Each structure stands twice: as structure tokens, then as C-alpha cells.
Amino acid sequence: MIYRSFIPREVLAQLDRLQRELQPTERSSSIRGAAQGSFPPINIGSTATAVELYAFAPGIDPATLDVQIERGVLTLSGERKPDLPSADQKATVHIGERFSGRFRRVVTLPDDIDAGAVSARYRDGLLHVSVPRRVAEQPRKIEIL
């Protein structure tokens, strides 16, 4: 550990912080894992009969949400209006952690989905998208004679 005597700890800590800040946080999502730091946060689960996606998007008008599937890729997009005080109130916002603006999430789905039978429902700030699997692709028990 002789090298530490030549480089102060503060310099190493600053380099580590700088490296973390420069790392990209926007990554595409897939059925195997979601990106960190994206809006809306999503949970994806898979059963033998369907792929279930839950997007946590409170305070969004359902009319601004758009869900599309094309070639096995599900795209969720929309817009969240800012809830900050208007300019005529002359208020100063000191901390604003709630996301506002346009968003887009893209999720790659498995090959065995039935894109013609997708359903989506938004209720109480939760968007639930259910993508059923094709019947022929579902696991089935084979009887042994």
C-alpha cells in the first residue's frame, strides 16, 4: 500500500465521485432487468400464461399515456405535467425531486407473446399492462400412457 502515501485520500475520493457521476444511468430495459433512474419505475413479471408489466406513474392523466407493441418491443410513453407553483405566485422552489416532462420506457419482450391480445389498465397511479403468451407456446403436461 505504498502508493497511498503519494496520493492523498481526498484526491482518490474525488476521482471516485467523478467516475460515478460520469457513468451513464440511462440503459434500455428488457424482461431480464430494468434501468436504474428511469421514469416511470417499472416491475416486470412473467408467468406461464403472460408477461405482466406494472408502471408506477401517479399524477398522470391516462389520456397522455401511450402503450405500443411492435416486433416484440413494448413502448410506454407519456407526459407528466409539472406541479410546481405557477409564475404568478412568485414562489421559489428550493428542492424539486418529482419528475415532470415527457418520458419513454422501452422493454424487449420474449418471442412467445401474443401481441394482438394485450390489455392495459391505469388506476390509482398504477399502469398494468398484461401481454399474454401464445397458447401453443405455453407449457403443458403430457400424459404418459
Side-chain angles (χ1 to χ4, degrees), residues 61-129:
D61 180 12
T64 65
L65 290 174
D66 184 35
V67 178
Q68 295 183 10
I69 289 188
E70 184 178 352
R71 295 184 186 152
V73 176
L74 183 133
T75 303
L76 167 63
S77 60
E79 183 173 7
R80 181 187 221 170
K81 301 291 183 194
D83 55 352
L84 299 175
S86 61
D88 61 336
Q89 292 177 342
K90 298 189 183 205
T92 302
V93 176
H94 296 284
I95 297 175
E97 294 181 348
R98 188 168 172 171
F99 173 83
S100 64
R102 299 197 54 75
F103 59 87
R104 184 171 183 251
R105 296 294 305 263
V106 177
V107 177
T108 304
L109 297 170
D111 294 333
D112 63 346
I113 60 149
D114 183 4
V118 177
S119 65
R121 183 175 65 139
Y122 181 80
R123 183 172 166 198
D124 297 331
L126 180 66
L127 175 67
H128 175 214
V129 180

Side-chain angles (χ1 to χ4, degrees), residues 31-32 43-54 109-114 128-135 137-140:
I31 193 74
R32 307 232 186 293
N43 285 352
I44 302 172
S46 180
T47 66
T49 59
V51 174
E52 307 288 339
L53 178 135
Y54 295 91
L109 297 170
D111 294 333
D112 63 346
I113 60 149
D114 183 4
H128 175 214
V129 180
S130 182
V131 185
R133 295 181 186 272
R134 289 189 293 260
V135 176
E137 303 293 332
Q138 294 178 8
R140 59 189 171 107

